[in-house]
Amino acid sequence: MRSDSGAEVPALTWDVARAVFPKGCVAMRIRDGLGPLFSDEDFKAAFGVRGRPGVSPGRLALVSVLQFAENLTDRQAVHAVRAGIGVKYLLGLELTDPGFDRTVLTGFRDRLLAHGMEARVLDLLLERLAELGLVGSGGRQRTDSAHVLAAVRSLNRLEFLGERLRAVLEALAAAAPDWLRASMDPAWQERYGARVDACRLPTDEQERRTLARQIATDGYRLLEAVFAPAAPGWLQQVPAVTVLRTVWVQQFTRSVTDGEEEWPGGGRTISRRAE
């Protein structure tokens, strides 16, 4: 996966994608309708040429656009690159291409931010859309040009939080099933029974905030139960519990009234820490 997003679609990938999706799919329509969007040269300032060649930044930019269009987390995006015929068509990859690790996407965004290029992906996309007459040049669409990366980061954060809570519930189900059965909210089975990365997370920002508050509240309720005097003391030493407590302290803040920290629930409030 070395060359940029303008590479020709390999013949076998083309034939298989057309056979499986005769009317096309989102990824295929992006390529067919917009043509080459990004080249590695567009991101040269953020990616050096020394050392071993890495994953094409032009292709990573295209994956970022697909993430935004399809509401995918990093984990879901790399799975699509590895297993999705339409995505391989979009990126110009051989069907046998193994893809890359999801940390590569994190590193890509960090590089863009470090070099002040966080707006580059959407700006290049808008330029191409303007060339095709699909949007007017300039205008309000440029006022939030970092929105693509911000939305993807928000989805990744939700996935991370949901998976941390699911992990501790699974650990407690194995270590203390009777205690968990008596202590957990029945609704948690539906919310956290399946892997978070198997679900499509909300596209609306307000819905994402609401979900984050729900996960936060559920996590703190679980921690309250674990640290309650009546709970077995050894539960506090379960590694997954320690991780959950650390993550929640890092990711959330809670209201303080009369010098006392409030736990979520009832009329109390909780909010996510700033990015």
Side-chain angles (χ1 to χ4, degrees):
M1 192 168 177
R2 306 290 186 204
S3 59
D4 63 35
S5 64
E8 292 292 329
V9 179
L12 182 58
T13 302
W14 176 284
D15 291 341
V16 172
R18 291 296 175 187
V20 175
F21 303 106
K23 296 183 178 180
C25 60
V26 171
M28 294 170 66
R29 286 194 289 270
I30 290 175
R31 184 175 185 106
D32 292 343
L34 302 181
L37 288 175
F38 311 110
S39 71
D40 293 347
E41 188 69 20
D42 293 325
F43 303 95
K44 183 178 179 180
F47 296 85
V49 296
R50 294 182 301 175
R52 185 178 178 181
V55 179
S56 157
R59 279 192 170 122
L60 294 176
L62 199 48
V63 172
S64 297
V65 171
L66 181 65
Q67 282 187 265
F68 182 74
E70 290 281 79
N71 198 42
L72 302 176
T73 65
D74 285 352
R75 195 188 305 270
Q76 291 167 335
V78 297
H79 177 73
V81 172
R82 186 177 300 115
I85 295 172
V87 178
K88 289 185 184 295
Y89 179 99
L90 168 67
L91 299 175
L93 297 174
E94 298 284 354
L95 292 178
T96 54
D97 193 289
F100 51 88
D101 189 81
R102 63 189 176 91
T103 57
V104 173
L105 286 170
T106 304
F108 173 69
R109 290 192 296 270
D110 289 345
R111 285 279 193 103
L112 294 184
L113 290 170
H115 289 79
M117 298 179 66
E118 62 271 20
R120 189 67 172 149
V121 173
L122 189 55
D123 284 348
L124 289 168
L125 174 60
L126 291 171
E127 287 174 12
R128 180 59 177 158
L129 293 175
E131 289 174 4
L132 296 173
L134 299 177
V135 299
S137 59
R140 291 187 60 186
Q141 68 266 23
R142 288 187 176 274
T143 61
D144 192 21
S145 58
H147 187 56
V148 170
L149 298 184
V152 171
R153 288 181 65 194
S154 177
L155 289 171
N156 287 328
R157 196 175 191 185
L158 275 178
E159 181 191 65
F160 170 71
L161 294 170
E163 279 297 290
R164 294 289 69 72
L165 183 50
R166 191 181 71 85
V168 74
L169 287 170
E170 287 193 344
L172 291 173
D178 293 336
W179 176 87
L180 182 62
R181 193 176 301 111
S183 303
M184 73 177 287
D185 185 329
W188 292 355
Q189 178 60 43
E190 181 177 351
R191 287 182 198 147
Y192 310 108
R195 287 186 63 91
V196 177
D197 61 7
C199 308
R200 285 297 177 89
L201 295 170
T203 57
D204 180 74
E205 176 61 25
Q206 184 56 49
E207 291 180 359
R208 288 198 289 263
R209 291 178 181 274
T210 299
L211 178 57
R213 284 194 293 269
Q214 181 65 67
I215 294 173
T217 299
D218 291 343
Y220 275 122
R221 286 182 61 190
L222 180 60
L223 288 171
E224 281 185 306
V226 168
F227 284 86
W234 60 267
L235 289 179
Q236 300 174 24
Q237 307 304 317
V238 173
V241 171
T242 302
V243 172
L244 183 72
R245 189 180 188 187
T246 301
V247 169
W248 256 233
V249 168
Q250 292 173 342
Q251 296 290 328
F252 300 103
T253 57
R254 287 188 281 168
S255 299
V256 177
T257 302
D258 297 329
E260 295 186 0
E261 187 176 46
E262 292 186 343
W263 291 85
R268 299 163 183 171
T269 60
I270 188 166
S271 61
R272 291 171 64 181
R273 290 192 185 279
E275 292 281 354

